[in-house]
Amino acid sequence: MTIHTELLNQLRQIVGAPNVLTEGDLEAYELDWRRRERGRSLAVVRPGSTEEVAAVVRACVVAKVSMVPQGGNTGMVVGSTPDASGTQVLLSLQRMNRVRKLDAGNLTITVDAGCVLQNIQDACEKDGFLFPLSLASEGSCTIGGNLGTNAGGTQVVRYGNTRELCLGLEVVTAQGDIWNGLTGLRKDNTGYDLRHLFIGSEGTLGVITAATMKLYPMPVSQLTAFAAVPSMEAAVELLGLAHRFLSSGLTGFEVMGQFALSLVAKHYPQQRVPFWQETPWCVVLENSDNESETHARECLERLLEAAMEQGCVTDAVVAESMAQAKALWHIRESIPLAQADEGLNIKHDISIGVSRIPEFVRLTDAALTKAFPGARLVTYGHLGDGNLHYNVQAPASDDAARFLNEEEAPINALVFEFVDQFNGSISAEHGIGSLKVEKLEHHKSPVALSLMRNIKLALDPHNLMNPGRVIRL
Ligand code: FAD
Ligand code: MLT
Ligand code: ZN
């Protein structure tokens, strides 16, 4: 019996034969969301409990077989699919999808790692609470994946990234031990905060099996406005005003370039996209209020009046109902889908100090369009957090696959050169995965890289947890 056959038999004993998939259509597990790389796994293993995850990890360690944790497989950087070797175990957390406990007094919810984000939001809303993490992929991404990537999304300006929302983790270590850190404590200075090592580690240090997350009272009112702005400078000016007028009520502030919106109008003609033909940029922003809807509306209207007086908004609509608000947000959330429909593309998920974003966009746009005539810039993102999705689509007349093959490297080099000049980050919220490993090596300091390697070696000395992703040894 080969070592792999023996391991597969053990895995079947641990999780049950129907939960060890080795044949049939495994594309959903082996192809990444952006369709950039198709991997092959030794098996897709679907444990149903923390103890089963631990036993799977121990069996893989003995067999020296590496593992790739996976949640909803919506990641943007090819980090959750196996490599092409056919020797890795794909560890899917999807069966671990229980809400363990909602503690109303402590304002926390404890959930299995495979819980789909939207199901967590719904469970909280049912009891009158808000779980504010919000991404367009929320119908399929999991909290384990959100923690693994330290996902951002559209509410970070008020509530922070996934890291800020996490009060405790349960983790299966790379040795197969179970660490229960589900304390739910808001204060705990008892040495190194291990939770923060695993958050954002993209499955390279251990497997997150459960988490305790912060809740907030559901706001009385959430009002959305969609505004036409004449320039990126004006968008940043509007953000300043929004902070002033709305204070902590400002829960979302997203910018969308004209070409990005044109893709939504083209691929989803049923959606009515306001203003996009008349203005280079639009902003969608949200005001959450704990007083009353009237108060929320007054604050928002005062903000828009001031913005129009100052000239940083040329036109605006405020949603009259929840359905209208959802429709306006849906436009923003449809951009990545419309971009995928348009064809293969180059993504840059960058962050820059908010005040310097207009200058960054002006200089980088000019350099890119000069060096790559016809390249179409799909710029949008979380301006409130200084995070832009500064994406590049092939010229309309070009073959997208050829463009990607030949131009991705020089385009990345150009964009990241500007990001470095502006002291920005080459990955604001999507992570490193395998797509950006080399870039990380280029852009991070040798001291930082060495510290990261030491952490990896200390926690996963045999390099079996998602090897080759994030940091190479
Ligand atoms: P996966 O894709 O399965 O995995 C992502 C990484 O986490 C992999 O490295 C994987 O190994 C690791 N991982 C998964 N589960 C675990 C676990 N239990 N323990 C340890 N490691 C684990 N991201 C944003 O940040 N902001 C956005 O606004 C946003 N919008 C998106 C919109 C769309 C339409 C799509 C398709 C994606 C979007 N994303 C966004 C990217 C993606 O949804 C997030 O990165 C999300 O957090 C991934 O969750 P997942 O469950 O799909 O993880
Ligand atoms: C978004 O903000 O829409 C996402 O991060 C997805 C993407 O950039 O494609
Ligand atoms: Zn984003």
Side-chain angles (χ1 to χ4, degrees):
M1 198 164 17
T2 71
I3 181 96
H4 283 164
T5 321
E6 198 178 322
L7 173 65
L8 289 174
N9 285 339
Q10 280 174 15
L11 295 176
R12 287 187 189 105
Q13 274 168 19
I14 297 166
V15 299
N19 293 310
V20 179
L21 315 178
T22 53
E23 47 199 37
D25 183 6
L26 300 180
E27 184 175 284
Y29 300 99
E30 294 180 339
L31 177 66
D32 75 291
W33 190 87
R34 289 175 62 198
R35 310 185 80 80
R36 295 283 308 238
E37 284 176 30
R38 169 75 203 245
R40 303 267 167 224
S41 60
L42 174 65
V44 173
V45 179
R46 295 162 37 91
S49 68
T50 303
E51 290 68 28
E52 286 185 9
V53 174
V56 167
V57 171
R58 285 196 298 270
C60 289
V61 170
V62 171
K64 296 194 169 52
V65 162
S66 62
M67 293 150 271
V68 181
Q70 186 183 86
N73 195 18
T74 66
M76 289 285 167
V77 287
V78 192
S80 54
T81 45
D83 65 22
S85 67
T87 61
Q88 296 190 300
V89 161
L90 190 289
L91 196 53
S92 167
L93 278 289
Q94 278 177 337
R95 282 182 63 227
M96 292 182 57
N97 57 10
R98 261 181 332 124
V99 172
R100 294 194 188 177
K101 183 178 177 187
L102 191 154
D103 184 341
N106 199 40
L107 282 174
T108 51
I109 188 165
T110 299
V111 291
D112 283 351
C115 272
V116 168
L117 174 57
Q118 195 167 54
N119 295 342
I120 302 175
Q121 295 165 344
D122 291 348
C124 296
E125 192 176 342
K126 195 163 64 62
D127 284 359
F129 294 105
L130 172 76
F131 180 58
L133 185 64
S134 178
L135 327 178
S137 53
E138 61 203 21
S140 37
C141 67
T142 63
I143 194 70
N146 303 147
L147 287 155
T149 56
N150 185 27
T154 55
Q155 300 273 297
V156 175
V157 67
R158 164 71 178 86
Y159 299 102
N161 295 298
T162 311
R163 184 186 299 284
E164 278 84 33
L165 295 169
C166 179
L167 289 176
L169 289 181
E170 179 189 84
V171 171
V172 169
T173 68
Q175 290 73 34
D177 296 325
I178 298 171
W179 169 54
N180 185 335
L182 296 171
T183 61
L185 298 176
R186 281 174 168 77
K187 289 186 146 185
D188 181 14
N189 284 347
T190 50
Y192 308 134
D193 197 332
L194 301 175
R195 146 190 65 154
H196 289 308
L197 283 179
F198 293 103
I199 298 172
S201 68
E202 301 180 51
T204 63
L205 300 179
V207 186
I208 297 168
T209 48
T212 299
M213 307 298 294
K214 278 186 203 169
L215 301 183
Y216 291 82
M218 187 58 83
V220 173
S221 167
Q222 285 165 299
L223 280 188
T224 300
F226 199 100
V229 295
S231 62
M232 188 59 99
E233 282 81 359
V236 171
E237 217 178 297
L238 175 61
L239 174 64
L241 286 177
H243 278 303
R244 238 177 57 216
F245 278 74
L246 308 178
S247 185
S248 63
L250 180 65
T251 41
F253 194 100
E254 300 282 315
V255 74
M256 298 155 287
Q258 187 169 39
F259 182 62
L261 287 174
S262 80
L263 291 180
V264 177
K266 172 178 168 188
H267 292 283
Y268 305 108
Q270 71 281 16
Q271 292 195 41
R272 294 194 28 230
V273 183
F275 314 131
W276 76 268
Q277 278 153 314
E278 302 136 37
T279 185
W281 300 97
C282 284
V283 162
V284 62
L285 66 96
E286 185 183 77
N287 180 26
S288 299
D289 196 289
N290 285 325
E291 206 175 303
S292 68
E293 166 139 5
T294 318
H295 183 251
R297 200 167 286 281
E298 278 167 11
C299 294
L300 201 50
E301 281 168 2
R302 274 204 299 273
L303 162 68
L304 292 172
E305 254 168 50
M308 283 191 179
E309 253 168 47
Q310 245 173 261
C312 59
V313 165
T314 51
D315 209 344
V317 286
V318 178
E320 291 296 330
S321 63
M322 210 41 167
Q324 274 183 18
K326 280 200 171 134
L328 293 175
W329 274 104
H330 193 48
I331 295 168
R332 157 63 184 91
E333 285 161 358
S334 299
I335 295 175
L337 304 166
Q339 205 195 344
D341 288 348
E342 185 70 7
L344 289 169
N345 52 69
I346 302 169
K347 278 185 189 284
H348 304 107
D349 163 40
I350 57 163
S351 62
I352 310 270
V354 173
S355 55
R356 303 199 66 198
I357 281 192
E359 191 191 355
F360 169 85
V361 169
R362 191 165 39 76
L363 294 179
T364 318
D365 278 9
L368 260 181
T369 43
K370 184 164 172 223
F372 304 91
R376 297 171 297 164
L377 306 185
V378 187
T379 308
Y380 62 98
H382 319 288
L383 185 61
D385 322 323
N387 174 192
L388 282 189
H389 297 306
Y390 189 82
N391 300 340
V392 183
Q393 202 92 30
S397 54
D398 206 339
D399 173 48
R402 183 216 66 84
F403 185 78
L404 202 68
N405 243 340
E406 291 172 22
E407 316 291 13
E408 182 169 29
I411 286 181
N412 285 341
L414 186 154
V415 172
F416 292 144
E417 175 73 36
F418 279 100
V419 170
D420 277 349
Q421 271 179 38
F422 280 76
N423 273 326
S425 167
I426 60 160
S427 180
E429 59 172 8
H430 292 165
I432 299 299
S434 43
L435 278 189
K436 293 188 185 163
V437 171
E438 265 182 61
K439 285 162 203 90
L440 186 84
E441 288 168 358
H442 186 72
H443 293 269
K444 224 151 175 110
S445 77
V447 177
L449 289 168
S450 157
L451 289 170
M452 283 174 70
R453 283 196 188 99
N454 288 341
I455 291 170
K456 169 75 175 168
L457 277 168
L459 270 73
D460 179 22
H462 303 298
N463 197 21
L464 294 178
M465 297 304 312
N466 217 355
R469 268 72 195 257
V470 182
I471 185 100
R472 288 192 284 210
L473 293 179

